[in-house]
Protein backbone atom coordinates (compact mmCIF):
# COMPACT_ATOMS: atom_id res chain seq x y z
CA UNK A 1 0.00 0.00 0.00
CA UNK A 2 0.92 3.65 -0.29
CA UNK A 3 1.02 5.71 2.90
CA UNK A 4 -2.56 6.84 2.26
CA UNK A 5 -3.76 3.22 2.40
CA UNK A 6 -4.26 2.77 -1.34
CA UNK A 7 -3.39 -0.81 -2.35
CA UNK A 8 -1.16 -1.26 -5.37
CA UNK A 9 -0.45 -5.00 -5.17
CA UNK A 10 -1.58 -8.13 -3.28
CA UNK A 11 -0.59 -11.81 -3.36
CA UNK A 12 -3.93 -12.55 -1.67
CA UNK A 13 -5.76 -11.24 -4.72
CA UNK A 14 -3.76 -13.62 -6.91
CA UNK A 15 -4.45 -16.47 -4.48
CA UNK A 16 -0.78 -17.34 -4.68
CA UNK A 17 2.15 -16.73 -2.38
CA UNK A 18 5.07 -14.68 -3.54
CA UNK A 19 8.06 -17.01 -3.83
CA UNK A 20 11.56 -15.60 -4.04
CA UNK A 21 15.15 -16.04 -2.92
CA UNK A 22 16.22 -13.42 -0.39
CA UNK A 23 19.40 -11.37 -0.71
CA UNK A 24 20.02 -12.23 -4.36
CA UNK A 25 18.72 -9.05 -5.94
CA UNK A 26 15.36 -10.52 -6.88
CA UNK A 27 13.60 -7.97 -4.61
CA UNK A 28 13.81 -4.27 -4.03
CA UNK A 29 16.63 -3.52 -1.58
CA UNK A 30 14.29 -2.61 1.29
CA UNK A 31 12.36 -5.85 0.99
CA UNK A 32 15.59 -7.88 0.80
CA UNK A 33 16.55 -6.34 4.15
CA UNK A 34 13.10 -6.53 5.74
CA UNK A 35 12.60 -10.28 5.23
CA UNK A 36 15.90 -11.28 6.86
CA UNK A 37 15.37 -12.81 10.29
CA UNK A 38 11.67 -13.58 9.88
CA UNK A 39 10.12 -16.78 11.24
CA UNK A 40 7.40 -18.81 9.60
CA UNK A 41 3.98 -17.43 10.62
CA UNK A 42 5.58 -14.14 11.62
CA UNK A 43 3.75 -11.01 10.39
CA UNK A 44 5.63 -7.77 9.78
CA UNK A 45 4.56 -4.31 8.75
CA UNK A 46 7.39 -2.89 6.65
CA UNK A 47 7.89 0.76 5.64
CA UNK A 48 10.35 1.18 2.78
CA UNK A 49 11.66 4.59 1.72
CA UNK A 50 11.78 5.44 -1.97
CA UNK A 51 15.54 5.08 -2.24
CA UNK A 52 15.28 1.43 -1.12
CA UNK A 53 12.25 0.86 -3.34
CA UNK A 54 11.70 2.19 -6.84
CA UNK A 55 13.35 5.59 -6.36
CA UNK A 56 12.72 8.60 -8.53
CA UNK A 57 11.70 6.53 -11.49
CA UNK A 58 8.86 4.55 -9.90
CA UNK A 59 7.01 1.97 -11.97
CA UNK A 60 5.04 3.33 -14.86
CA UNK A 61 1.32 3.24 -14.22
CA UNK A 62 1.70 1.50 -10.87
CA UNK A 63 4.08 3.27 -8.49
CA UNK A 64 4.70 7.01 -8.78
CA UNK A 65 8.27 8.32 -8.48
CA UNK A 66 9.71 8.81 -4.98
CA UNK A 67 6.95 6.72 -3.40
CA UNK A 68 7.20 5.36 0.13
CA UNK A 69 5.84 1.80 0.20
CA UNK A 70 4.13 -0.12 3.01
CA UNK A 71 4.04 -3.90 3.03
CA UNK A 72 1.96 -6.15 5.31
CA UNK A 73 3.96 -9.41 5.12
CA UNK A 74 3.08 -12.88 6.47
CA UNK A 75 5.83 -15.47 6.07
CA UNK A 76 4.38 -18.88 5.03
CA UNK A 77 7.45 -20.91 4.24
CA UNK A 78 11.21 -20.75 4.24
CA UNK A 79 13.97 -22.95 2.88
CA UNK A 80 17.46 -22.76 1.50
CA UNK A 81 18.92 -24.58 -1.45
CA UNK A 82 21.50 -26.10 0.88
CA UNK A 83 18.84 -27.48 3.26
CA UNK A 84 18.50 -31.21 3.89
CA UNK A 85 15.74 -33.25 5.39
CA UNK A 86 15.30 -32.40 9.07
CA UNK A 87 14.37 -35.17 11.49
CA UNK A 88 13.12 -34.70 15.03
CA UNK A 89 12.34 -37.89 16.98
CA UNK A 90 10.01 -37.16 19.88
CA UNK A 91 9.29 -40.74 20.91
CA UNK A 92 11.39 -43.88 20.63
CA UNK A 93 10.40 -47.24 22.17
CA UNK A 94 12.77 -48.80 24.73
CA UNK A 95 13.34 -51.83 22.51
CA UNK A 96 14.38 -51.31 18.91
CA UNK A 97 15.58 -54.62 17.45
CA UNK A 98 15.44 -53.36 13.88
CA UNK A 99 15.19 -50.08 11.95
CA UNK A 100 13.99 -49.19 8.45
CA UNK A 101 16.49 -49.96 5.72
CA UNK A 102 16.40 -49.42 1.95
CA UNK A 103 13.89 -51.77 0.24
CA UNK A 104 11.90 -52.40 3.45
CA UNK A 105 8.12 -52.31 3.27
CA UNK A 106 6.56 -50.10 5.91
CA UNK A 107 3.13 -49.22 7.28
CA UNK A 108 2.84 -45.85 8.98
CA UNK A 109 0.37 -43.16 9.96
CA UNK A 110 1.08 -39.48 9.31
CA UNK A 111 -0.24 -35.96 9.46
CA UNK A 112 1.06 -33.77 6.64
CA UNK A 113 1.22 -30.00 7.08
CA UNK A 114 2.89 -27.00 5.52
CA UNK A 115 5.46 -25.08 7.54
CA UNK A 116 2.77 -22.72 8.79
CA UNK A 117 0.85 -25.67 10.27
CA UNK A 118 -1.87 -25.91 7.63
CA UNK A 119 -2.99 -29.53 7.33
CA UNK A 120 -3.01 -30.84 3.78
CA UNK A 121 -3.35 -34.59 4.34
CA UNK A 122 -3.71 -37.24 7.07
CA UNK A 123 -3.76 -41.01 7.05
CA UNK A 124 -5.53 -40.85 10.42
CA UNK A 125 -8.49 -39.13 8.76
CA UNK A 126 -8.70 -41.98 6.24
CA UNK A 127 -8.34 -44.51 9.09
CA UNK A 128 -5.84 -46.42 6.99
CA UNK A 129 -2.06 -46.64 7.19
CA UNK A 130 0.15 -45.56 4.32
CA UNK A 131 1.90 -48.69 3.03
CA UNK A 132 4.94 -48.49 0.78
CA UNK A 133 8.49 -49.56 0.03
CA UNK A 134 11.25 -47.26 1.23
CA UNK A 135 14.29 -46.11 -0.74
CA UNK A 136 13.28 -47.39 -4.17
CA UNK A 137 11.56 -44.28 -5.54
CA UNK A 138 7.97 -44.94 -4.50
CA UNK A 139 8.06 -41.85 -2.24
CA UNK A 140 9.26 -38.31 -2.62
CA UNK A 141 13.05 -38.24 -2.03
CA UNK A 142 12.78 -36.44 1.31
CA UNK A 143 10.35 -39.01 2.69
CA UNK A 144 12.50 -41.86 1.42
CA UNK A 145 15.38 -40.39 3.42
CA UNK A 146 13.36 -39.27 6.44
CA UNK A 147 11.95 -42.74 7.17
CA UNK A 148 15.31 -44.52 7.21
CA UNK A 149 16.45 -45.66 10.65
CA UNK A 150 13.00 -45.59 12.27
CA UNK A 151 11.92 -48.24 14.79
CA UNK A 152 8.46 -49.72 15.03
CA UNK A 153 6.58 -47.53 17.50
CA UNK A 154 8.85 -44.53 16.89
CA UNK A 155 7.32 -41.11 16.27
CA UNK A 156 9.22 -38.41 14.43
CA UNK A 157 8.69 -35.15 12.59
CA UNK A 158 10.22 -35.05 9.12
CA UNK A 159 10.63 -31.62 7.51
CA UNK A 160 11.29 -31.71 3.76
CA UNK A 161 12.39 -28.80 1.57
CA UNK A 162 10.44 -28.49 -1.70
CA UNK A 163 13.28 -29.62 -3.96
CA UNK A 164 13.15 -32.99 -2.09
CA UNK A 165 9.34 -32.96 -2.18
CA UNK A 166 7.09 -31.78 -5.04
CA UNK A 167 9.36 -28.97 -6.28
CA UNK A 168 8.31 -25.87 -8.22
CA UNK A 169 5.13 -27.43 -9.60
CA UNK A 170 3.57 -28.91 -6.46
CA UNK A 171 1.28 -31.87 -7.01
CA UNK A 172 -1.24 -30.00 -9.09
CA UNK A 173 -3.78 -30.31 -6.33
CA UNK A 174 -3.45 -29.33 -2.66
CA UNK A 175 0.34 -29.10 -2.54
CA UNK A 176 1.34 -25.64 -3.68
CA UNK A 177 4.54 -25.04 -5.66
CA UNK A 178 7.86 -24.72 -3.82
CA UNK A 179 6.28 -25.73 -0.50
CA UNK A 180 8.20 -27.21 2.39
CA UNK A 181 6.35 -30.19 3.88
CA UNK A 182 6.17 -31.41 7.48
CA UNK A 183 5.19 -35.00 8.22
CA UNK A 184 4.39 -36.18 11.73
CA UNK A 185 5.00 -39.93 11.33
CA UNK A 186 4.23 -42.93 13.57
CA UNK A 187 5.72 -46.21 12.34
CA UNK A 188 3.48 -49.23 12.90
CA UNK A 189 5.15 -51.99 10.95
CA UNK A 190 8.13 -52.88 8.79
CA UNK A 191 9.47 -55.92 7.02
CA UNK A 192 11.54 -56.87 4.04
CA UNK A 193 10.28 -59.19 1.29
CA UNK A 194 13.37 -61.31 1.92
CA UNK A 195 12.55 -61.76 5.61
CA UNK A 196 11.85 -65.17 7.08
CA UNK A 197 10.16 -65.73 10.40
CA UNK A 198 12.01 -64.86 13.58
CA UNK A 199 11.78 -66.92 16.77
CA UNK A 200 12.50 -65.81 20.30
CA UNK A 201 12.45 -68.52 22.95
CA UNK A 202 10.84 -67.33 26.16
CA UNK A 203 10.66 -70.53 28.22
CA UNK A 204 12.18 -73.88 27.27
CA UNK A 205 11.58 -76.79 29.67
CA UNK A 206 14.66 -78.50 31.08
CA UNK A 207 13.34 -81.91 30.08
CA UNK A 208 12.51 -82.02 26.40
CA UNK A 209 12.46 -85.64 25.33
CA UNK A 210 11.01 -84.81 21.94
CA UNK A 211 10.59 -81.78 19.69
CA UNK A 212 7.71 -81.27 17.31
CA UNK A 213 8.13 -82.44 13.72
CA UNK A 214 6.22 -82.22 10.46
CA UNK A 215 3.02 -84.21 10.71
CA UNK A 216 2.62 -83.79 14.48
CA UNK A 217 -0.67 -82.58 15.93
CA UNK A 218 -0.22 -79.66 18.34
CA UNK A 219 -2.43 -78.08 20.98
CA UNK A 220 -1.23 -74.61 21.92
CA UNK A 221 -2.39 -71.30 23.32
CA UNK A 222 -1.47 -67.97 21.71
CA UNK A 223 -1.86 -64.23 21.81
CA UNK A 224 -1.73 -62.57 18.39
CA UNK A 225 -0.68 -58.93 17.97
CA UNK A 226 0.62 -56.61 15.30
CA UNK A 227 4.17 -55.28 15.55
CA UNK A 228 2.98 -52.14 17.34
CA UNK A 229 1.27 -54.27 19.99
CA UNK A 230 -2.27 -53.99 18.62
CA UNK A 231 -4.18 -57.10 19.70
CA UNK A 232 -6.06 -59.08 17.05
CA UNK A 233 -6.73 -62.57 18.46
CA UNK A 234 -6.19 -64.89 21.43
CA UNK A 235 -6.96 -68.53 22.14
CA UNK A 236 -7.02 -67.63 25.85
CA UNK A 237 -10.06 -65.41 25.29
CA UNK A 238 -11.90 -68.42 23.87
CA UNK A 239 -10.70 -70.59 26.77
CA UNK A 240 -9.66 -73.27 24.28
CA UNK A 241 -6.37 -74.26 22.72
CA UNK A 242 -5.76 -73.99 18.99
CA UNK A 243 -5.35 -77.54 17.69
CA UNK A 244 -3.73 -78.31 14.36
CA UNK A 245 -1.33 -80.43 12.34
CA UNK A 246 1.94 -78.67 11.57
CA UNK A 247 4.07 -78.63 8.46
CA UNK A 248 1.12 -79.62 6.27
CA UNK A 249 -0.49 -76.30 5.33
CA UNK A 250 -3.25 -76.23 7.92
CA UNK A 251 -1.98 -72.89 9.28
CA UNK A 252 -0.24 -69.90 7.66
CA UNK A 253 3.21 -70.72 6.34
CA UNK A 254 5.02 -68.73 9.04
CA UNK A 255 3.29 -70.60 11.84
CA UNK A 256 3.80 -73.93 10.09
CA UNK A 257 7.52 -73.22 10.24
CA UNK A 258 7.55 -71.52 13.64
CA UNK A 259 5.88 -74.43 15.43
CA UNK A 260 8.51 -76.95 14.34
CA UNK A 261 11.10 -77.94 16.92
CA UNK A 262 9.10 -76.91 20.00
CA UNK A 263 9.00 -78.82 23.27
CA UNK A 264 5.90 -79.56 25.30
CA UNK A 265 5.51 -76.67 27.75
CA UNK A 266 7.69 -74.33 25.68
CA UNK A 267 6.82 -70.65 25.29
CA UNK A 268 8.15 -68.78 22.30
CA UNK A 269 7.49 -65.66 20.24
CA UNK A 270 7.08 -66.13 16.50
CA UNK A 271 7.24 -63.04 14.26
CA UNK A 272 5.71 -63.69 10.84
CA UNK A 273 6.23 -61.33 7.85
CA UNK A 274 3.11 -60.77 5.72
CA UNK A 275 4.25 -62.91 2.78
CA UNK A 276 4.29 -65.85 5.24
CA UNK A 277 1.11 -64.62 6.96
CA UNK A 278 -2.00 -63.09 5.40
CA UNK A 279 -0.26 -61.20 2.59
CA UNK A 280 -1.25 -57.90 1.04
CA UNK A 281 -4.97 -58.51 1.54
CA UNK A 282 -4.95 -59.27 5.26
CA UNK A 283 -7.87 -61.04 6.88
CA UNK A 284 -10.66 -59.92 9.21
CA UNK A 285 -9.15 -57.40 11.63
CA UNK A 286 -5.62 -58.09 10.36
CA UNK A 287 -4.54 -55.29 7.96
CA UNK A 288 -2.98 -56.04 4.63
CA UNK A 289 0.82 -56.39 4.59
CA UNK A 290 0.89 -56.70 8.38
CA UNK A 291 3.69 -58.38 10.32
CA UNK A 292 2.18 -60.71 12.92
CA UNK A 293 3.50 -61.54 16.39
CA UNK A 294 2.38 -64.75 18.08
CA UNK A 295 3.25 -65.48 21.70
CA UNK A 296 2.59 -69.21 22.00
CA UNK A 297 2.53 -71.78 24.79
CA UNK A 298 2.70 -75.41 23.67
CA UNK A 299 0.34 -77.56 25.76
CA UNK A 300 0.98 -80.92 24.10
CA UNK A 301 1.59 -82.63 20.79
CA UNK A 302 1.52 -86.11 19.36
CA UNK A 303 1.79 -87.93 16.07
CA UNK A 304 -1.02 -90.08 14.67
CA UNK A 305 1.51 -92.92 14.45
CA UNK A 306 2.34 -92.69 18.18
CA UNK A 307 1.56 -95.55 20.52
CA UNK A 308 1.40 -95.37 24.30
CA UNK A 309 4.53 -94.73 26.34
CA UNK A 310 5.12 -96.71 29.54
CA UNK A 311 7.63 -95.81 32.25
CA UNK A 312 7.86 -98.16 35.23
CA UNK A 313 8.92 -96.38 38.43
CA UNK A 314 8.73 -99.30 40.87
CA UNK A 315 8.41 -103.09 40.71
CA UNK A 316 8.21 -105.31 43.81
CA UNK A 317 10.90 -108.00 44.22
CA UNK A 318 8.40 -110.73 43.31
CA UNK A 319 6.93 -109.62 40.01
CA UNK A 320 6.21 -112.95 38.35
CA UNK A 321 2.43 -112.78 37.94
CA UNK A 322 1.68 -110.25 35.21
CA UNK A 323 -1.70 -108.88 34.20
CA UNK A 324 -3.29 -110.19 31.02
CA UNK A 325 -6.54 -109.97 29.12
CA UNK A 326 -9.47 -111.14 31.23
CA UNK A 327 -7.85 -110.40 34.60
CA UNK A 328 -9.77 -108.38 37.14
CA UNK A 329 -7.70 -105.40 38.30
CA UNK A 330 -8.00 -102.90 41.12
CA UNK A 331 -5.74 -99.87 40.83
CA UNK A 332 -5.24 -96.25 41.80
CA UNK A 333 -4.42 -93.48 39.34
CA UNK A 334 -3.85 -89.79 38.88
CA UNK A 335 -4.89 -88.53 35.45
CA UNK A 336 -3.46 -85.30 34.08
CA UNK A 337 -2.66 -83.47 30.87
CA UNK A 338 0.90 -83.16 29.61
CA UNK A 339 1.14 -79.65 31.07
CA UNK A 340 0.39 -81.06 34.53
CA UNK A 341 -3.28 -80.08 34.74
CA UNK A 342 -4.96 -82.66 36.99
CA UNK A 343 -8.09 -84.21 35.50
CA UNK A 344 -9.03 -86.95 37.96
CA UNK A 345 -7.65 -88.99 40.86
CA UNK A 346 -8.89 -92.15 42.56
CA UNK A 347 -6.72 -91.26 45.55
CA UNK A 348 -8.74 -88.07 45.97
CA UNK A 349 -11.97 -90.06 45.70
CA UNK A 350 -10.73 -92.61 48.22
CA UNK A 351 -11.58 -95.69 46.14
CA UNK A 352 -9.88 -97.86 43.55
CA UNK A 353 -10.83 -98.16 39.90
CA UNK A 354 -11.82 -101.74 39.03
CA UNK A 355 -11.94 -103.25 35.55
CA UNK A 356 -11.67 -106.47 33.61
CA UNK A 357 -8.68 -106.07 31.34
CA UNK A 358 -9.48 -106.31 27.64
CA UNK A 359 -13.25 -105.96 28.10
CA UNK A 360 -13.55 -102.40 26.76
CA UNK A 361 -14.22 -100.84 30.15
CA UNK A 362 -11.44 -98.24 29.70
CA UNK A 363 -9.96 -96.41 26.70
CA UNK A 364 -7.74 -98.56 24.52
CA UNK A 365 -4.52 -96.82 25.59
CA UNK A 366 -5.28 -97.50 29.25
CA UNK A 367 -6.10 -101.12 28.46
CA UNK A 368 -2.71 -101.42 26.77
CA UNK A 369 -0.94 -99.58 29.59
CA UNK A 370 -2.24 -101.97 32.27
CA UNK A 371 -0.96 -105.12 30.58
CA UNK A 372 1.98 -107.16 31.91
CA UNK A 373 1.84 -105.31 35.23
CA UNK A 374 2.33 -106.96 38.63
CA UNK A 375 0.62 -106.14 41.91
CA UNK A 376 2.46 -103.32 43.67
CA UNK A 377 4.00 -101.97 40.47
CA UNK A 378 3.90 -98.22 39.80
CA UNK A 379 4.12 -96.85 36.30
CA UNK A 380 3.33 -93.81 34.18
CA UNK A 381 1.37 -94.33 30.99
CA UNK A 382 1.19 -91.58 28.35
CA UNK A 383 -1.72 -92.03 25.96
CA UNK A 384 -2.09 -90.17 22.63
CA UNK A 385 -5.64 -88.98 21.89
CA UNK A 386 -6.35 -91.58 19.18
CA UNK A 387 -5.91 -94.20 21.93
CA UNK A 388 -7.67 -92.02 24.50
CA UNK A 389 -10.70 -89.77 24.10
CA UNK A 390 -10.01 -88.67 20.53
CA UNK A 391 -10.81 -85.35 18.92
CA UNK A 392 -14.03 -84.92 20.89
CA UNK A 393 -12.58 -85.44 24.37
CA UNK A 394 -15.07 -85.51 27.25
CA UNK A 395 -17.22 -82.42 27.56
CA UNK A 396 -16.17 -80.38 30.56
CA UNK A 397 -13.55 -82.92 31.63
CA UNK A 398 -11.02 -83.88 28.94
CA UNK A 399 -10.12 -81.45 26.11
CA UNK A 400 -10.39 -82.69 22.56
CA UNK A 401 -7.21 -84.18 21.05
CA UNK A 402 -5.50 -84.18 24.45
CA UNK A 403 -2.55 -86.39 25.34
CA UNK A 404 -3.23 -88.01 28.73
CA UNK A 405 -0.83 -88.97 31.53
CA UNK A 406 -1.82 -91.67 34.02
CA UNK A 407 0.26 -92.39 37.12
CA UNK A 408 -0.87 -95.90 38.12
CA UNK A 409 -0.39 -98.23 41.07
CA UNK A 410 -1.78 -101.78 40.73
CA UNK A 411 -3.23 -102.95 44.05
CA UNK A 412 -4.97 -106.25 43.28
CA UNK A 413 -5.13 -108.79 40.49
CA UNK A 414 -7.63 -111.64 40.16
CA UNK A 415 -6.70 -113.98 37.35
CA UNK A 416 -9.30 -114.13 34.62
CA UNK A 417 -10.58 -117.12 32.67
CA UNK A 418 -9.37 -118.29 29.30
CA UNK A 419 -10.60 -116.11 26.46
CA UNK A 420 -14.20 -116.93 25.57
CA UNK A 421 -15.03 -118.55 28.91
CA UNK A 422 -17.25 -117.04 31.61
CA UNK A 423 -17.20 -120.17 33.82
CA UNK A 424 -14.70 -123.02 34.18
CA UNK A 425 -14.37 -126.19 36.22
CA UNK A 426 -11.33 -126.39 38.47
CA UNK A 427 -11.33 -130.20 38.43
CA UNK A 428 -12.96 -133.15 36.72
CA UNK A 429 -16.55 -132.68 35.66
CA UNK A 430 -19.03 -135.16 37.09
CA UNK A 431 -20.26 -137.80 34.67
CA UNK A 432 -23.74 -137.34 36.12
CA UNK A 433 -23.74 -133.55 35.97
CA UNK A 434 -27.31 -133.16 34.77
CA UNK A 435 -28.63 -135.44 37.48
CA UNK A 436 -26.68 -133.50 40.14
CA UNK A 437 -28.24 -130.24 38.99
CA UNK A 438 -31.74 -131.84 38.74
CA UNK A 439 -32.07 -132.41 42.47
CA UNK A 440 -35.79 -133.25 42.40
CA UNK A 441 -35.19 -135.79 39.64
CA UNK A 442 -38.08 -134.66 37.48
CA UNK A 443 -35.97 -134.65 34.32
CA UNK A 444 -35.93 -130.91 33.90
CA UNK A 445 -33.80 -128.10 35.33
CA UNK A 446 -35.20 -124.65 36.04
CA UNK A 447 -33.13 -121.44 36.34
CA UNK A 448 -33.35 -121.49 40.13
CA UNK A 449 -31.90 -125.01 40.29
CA UNK A 450 -29.20 -124.18 37.78
CA UNK A 451 -28.20 -120.97 39.58
CA UNK A 452 -28.10 -122.65 43.00
CA UNK A 453 -25.86 -125.42 41.68
CA UNK A 454 -23.38 -123.11 39.89
CA UNK A 455 -23.02 -120.84 42.91
CA UNK A 456 -22.45 -123.87 45.11
CA UNK A 457 -19.63 -125.05 42.82
CA UNK A 458 -18.02 -121.59 42.95
CA UNK A 459 -18.33 -121.45 46.73
CA UNK A 460 -16.68 -124.86 47.11
CA UNK A 461 -13.86 -123.97 44.73
CA UNK A 462 -14.87 -126.60 42.17
CA UNK A 463 -15.86 -123.93 39.64
CA UNK A 464 -14.95 -120.33 38.84
CA UNK A 465 -16.92 -117.46 37.30
CA UNK A 466 -15.16 -114.78 35.26
CA UNK A 467 -14.13 -112.09 37.77
CA UNK A 468 -15.37 -108.54 37.51
CA UNK A 469 -18.71 -109.32 35.87
CA UNK A 470 -22.24 -109.67 37.27
CA UNK A 471 -22.39 -113.29 38.48
CA UNK A 472 -26.16 -113.54 38.11
CA UNK A 473 -25.97 -112.29 34.55
CA UNK A 474 -23.32 -114.89 33.71
CA UNK A 475 -25.46 -117.69 35.18
CA UNK A 476 -28.53 -116.51 33.30
CA UNK A 477 -26.56 -116.49 30.05
CA UNK A 478 -25.23 -120.00 30.78
CA UNK A 479 -28.76 -121.23 31.42
CA UNK A 480 -30.08 -119.57 28.27
CA UNK A 481 -27.36 -121.31 26.25
CA UNK A 482 -28.60 -124.69 27.58
CA UNK A 483 -32.27 -123.82 27.17
CA UNK A 484 -32.07 -124.32 23.43
CA UNK A 485 -35.80 -124.21 22.73
CA UNK A 486 -36.34 -121.24 25.03
CA UNK A 487 -39.10 -122.79 27.07
CA UNK A 488 -37.61 -121.78 30.43
CA UNK A 489 -36.34 -125.24 31.37
CA UNK A 490 -33.46 -127.49 30.36
CA UNK A 491 -34.10 -131.11 29.50
CA UNK A 492 -31.43 -133.82 29.57
CA UNK A 493 -31.38 -134.05 25.80
CA UNK A 494 -30.67 -130.28 25.59
CA UNK A 495 -27.88 -130.31 28.16
CA UNK A 496 -24.36 -130.36 26.70
CA UNK A 497 -20.92 -129.32 27.91
CA UNK A 498 -18.78 -127.05 25.80
CA UNK A 499 -16.62 -129.84 24.43
CA UNK A 500 -19.76 -131.73 23.43
CA UNK A 501 -21.03 -128.97 21.17
CA UNK A 502 -21.02 -129.81 17.45
CA UNK A 503 -18.09 -128.33 15.54
CA UNK A 504 -18.79 -126.55 12.28
CA UNK A 505 -17.02 -124.25 9.86
CA UNK A 506 -18.22 -120.69 9.60
CA UNK A 507 -19.23 -119.57 6.16
Amino acid sequence: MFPDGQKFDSSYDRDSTFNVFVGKGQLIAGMDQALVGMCVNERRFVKIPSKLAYGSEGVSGVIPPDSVLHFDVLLMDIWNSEDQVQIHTYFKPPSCPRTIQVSDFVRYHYNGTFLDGTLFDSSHNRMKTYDTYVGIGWLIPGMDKGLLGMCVGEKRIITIPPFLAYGEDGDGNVLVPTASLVFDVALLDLHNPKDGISIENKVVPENCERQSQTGDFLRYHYNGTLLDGTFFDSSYSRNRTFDTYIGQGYVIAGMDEGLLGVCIGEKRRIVVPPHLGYGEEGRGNIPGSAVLVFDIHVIDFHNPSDSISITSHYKPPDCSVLSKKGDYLKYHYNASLLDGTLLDSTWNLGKTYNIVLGSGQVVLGMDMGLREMCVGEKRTVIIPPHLGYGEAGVDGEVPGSAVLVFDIELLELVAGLPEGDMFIWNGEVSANLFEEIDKDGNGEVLLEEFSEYIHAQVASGKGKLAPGFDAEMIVKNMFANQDRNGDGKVMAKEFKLKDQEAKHDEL
Side-chain angles (χ1 to χ4, degrees):
M1 298 175 292
F2 297 119
D4 62 1
Q6 180 184 353
K7 180 171 64 176
F8 64 84
D9 191 17
S10 173
S11 64
Y12 293 99
D13 293 345
R14 293 190 297 272
D15 194 26
S16 173
T17 56
F18 191 76
N19 308 326
V20 67
F21 285 101
V22 176
K24 291 190 174 183
Q26 297 180 4
L27 294 164
I28 56 176
M31 204 61 169
D32 249 347
Q33 294 178 31
L35 292 175
V36 173
M38 281 190 80
C39 305
V40 171
N41 282 332
E42 183 179 344
R43 186 178 182 185
R44 285 184 177 180
F45 295 94
V46 181
K47 179 180 178 181
I48 302 177
S50 172
K51 64 180 180 179
L52 295 177
Y54 295 97
S56 59
E57 295 183 2
V59 177
S60 178
V62 180
I63 298 175
D66 299 317
S67 293
V68 175
L69 307 180
H70 291 187
F71 288 90
D72 181 355
V73 180
L74 176 65
L75 187 61
M76 307 294 291
D77 194 348
I78 182 173
W79 56 274
N80 191 285
S81 58
E82 297 180 358
D83 285 348
Q84 297 297 319
V85 174
Q86 298 177 41
I87 296 171
H88 168 62
T89 296
Y90 62 93
F91 176 78
K92 196 166 188 175
S95 174
C96 184
R98 173 176 170 183
T99 62
I100 297 177
Q101 307 294 324
V102 171
S103 80
D104 282 346
F105 189 88
V106 298
R107 297 191 311 114
Y108 62 90
H109 270 304
Y110 70 89
N111 285 323
T113 63
F114 298 117
L115 267 187
D116 67 346
T118 302
L119 182 73
F120 63 80
D121 192 17
S122 173
S123 65
H124 298 281
N125 291 346
R126 293 190 297 274
M127 297 181 69
K128 189 178 188 304
T129 56
Y130 193 81
D131 308 340
T132 185
Y133 287 96
V134 176
I136 62 172
W138 284 28
L139 294 163
I140 56 174
M143 202 62 169
D144 255 345
K145 183 176 182 181
L147 290 171
L148 292 176
M150 281 192 81
C151 309
V152 171
E154 183 176 339
K155 296 179 181 180
R156 62 169 56 171
I157 294 174
I158 303 170
T159 305
I160 304 174
F163 54 88
L164 294 176
Y166 291 92
E168 296 181 0
D169 298 325
D171 70 344
N173 190 13
V174 296
L175 298 177
V176 296
T178 61
S180 299
L181 305 180
V182 180
F183 292 92
D184 190 342
V185 177
L187 183 62
L188 301 186
D189 198 343
L190 79 127
H191 76 278
N192 195 282
K194 296 179 181 179
D195 286 348
I197 66 168
S198 67
I199 295 174
E200 178 185 353
N201 290 324
K202 300 288 188 180
V203 176
V204 179
E206 293 183 5
N207 294 325
C208 184
E209 297 180 359
R210 175 181 161 188
Q211 294 178 318
S212 61
Q213 301 174 355
T214 296
D216 284 345
F217 190 87
L218 262 73
R219 297 194 313 118
Y220 63 95
H221 272 302
Y222 70 88
N223 283 323
T225 63
L226 305 180
L227 262 188
D228 67 344
T230 301
F231 170 87
F232 65 80
D233 193 18
S234 173
S235 64
Y236 296 99
S237 63
R238 294 188 294 274
N239 198 29
R240 192 182 190 287
T241 56
F242 190 82
D243 309 337
T244 185
Y245 289 95
I246 60 168
Q248 298 182 334
Y250 286 91
V251 290
I252 56 175
M255 283 299 275
D256 242 353
E257 181 182 349
L259 291 170
L260 293 174
V262 296
C263 305
I264 292 169
E266 182 172 339
K267 295 181 180 180
R268 65 167 49 172
R269 172 169 288 182
I270 304 171
V271 181
V272 181
H275 52 277
L276 298 175
Y278 292 101
E280 296 181 4
E281 300 300 321
R283 180 177 177 180
N285 58 350
I286 298 175
S289 301
V291 177
L292 308 178
V293 180
F294 293 93
D295 287 305
I296 69 158
H297 180 199
V298 180
I299 303 301
D300 70 28
F301 63 82
H302 72 280
N303 195 282
S305 63
D306 286 348
S307 185
I308 65 169
S309 168
I310 298 175
T311 304
S312 184
H313 304 292
Y314 171 76
K315 285 186 178 183
D318 181 12
C319 192
S320 56
V321 178
L322 302 179
S323 58
K324 64 183 183 307
K325 184 176 181 181
D327 288 350
Y328 181 62
L329 307 181
K330 293 184 179 182
Y331 60 94
H332 269 307
Y333 70 82
N334 282 327
S336 61
L337 303 178
L338 273 181
D339 65 351
T341 302
L342 184 66
L343 300 176
D344 192 17
S345 173
T346 58
W347 277 289
N348 291 346
L349 295 174
K351 60 180 181 180
T352 59
Y353 200 78
N354 310 327
I355 68 160
V356 176
L357 199 55
S359 63
Q361 296 175 353
V362 289
V363 295
L364 181 56
M366 191 63 167
D367 207 304
M368 297 165 64
L370 288 166
R371 306 239 175 163
E372 297 185 359
M373 195 172 183
C374 61
V375 173
E377 183 177 346
K378 298 178 182 180
R379 61 171 54 171
T380 297
V381 180
I382 299 177
I383 303 175
H386 51 275
L387 298 174
Y389 292 99
E391 295 182 7
V394 179
D395 189 28
E397 297 182 35
V398 180
S401 301
V403 179
L404 305 178
V405 180
F406 285 90
D407 291 311
I408 302 167
E409 180 180 1
L410 184 58
L411 301 179
E412 187 177 333
L413 183 158
V414 179
L417 303 186
E419 189 170 357
D421 289 335
M422 298 300 285
F423 174 84
I424 61 170
W425 295 97
N426 289 328
E428 293 294 329
V429 182
S430 172
N432 301 314
L433 182 58
F434 183 81
E435 289 75 10
E436 291 182 11
I437 299 174
D438 182 22
K439 286 186 176 182
D440 58 10
N442 65 353
E444 59 184 35
V445 174
L446 300 179
L447 175 59
E448 291 77 7
E449 292 177 288
F450 187 83
S451 177
E452 182 181 349
Y453 182 81
I454 294 298
H455 284 300
Q457 304 311 301
V458 172
S460 66
K462 294 179 180 180
K464 182 178 180 180
L465 291 169
F469 295 99
D470 185 335
E472 290 302 327
M473 188 59 67
I474 295 175
V475 173
K476 286 180 181 179
N477 288 336
M478 292 171 63
F479 180 81
N481 288 338
Q482 297 298 323
D483 182 15
R484 302 174 192 281
N485 60 9
D487 62 357
K489 55 189 176 183
V490 178
M491 311 301 289
K493 62 181 179 180
E494 292 179 289
F495 191 80
K496 291 180 182 179
L497 296 176
K498 184 175 181 180
D499 58 2
Q500 295 172 335
E501 296 285 353
K503 302 291 192 297
H504 62 86
D505 293 329
E506 292 188 13
L507 297 180

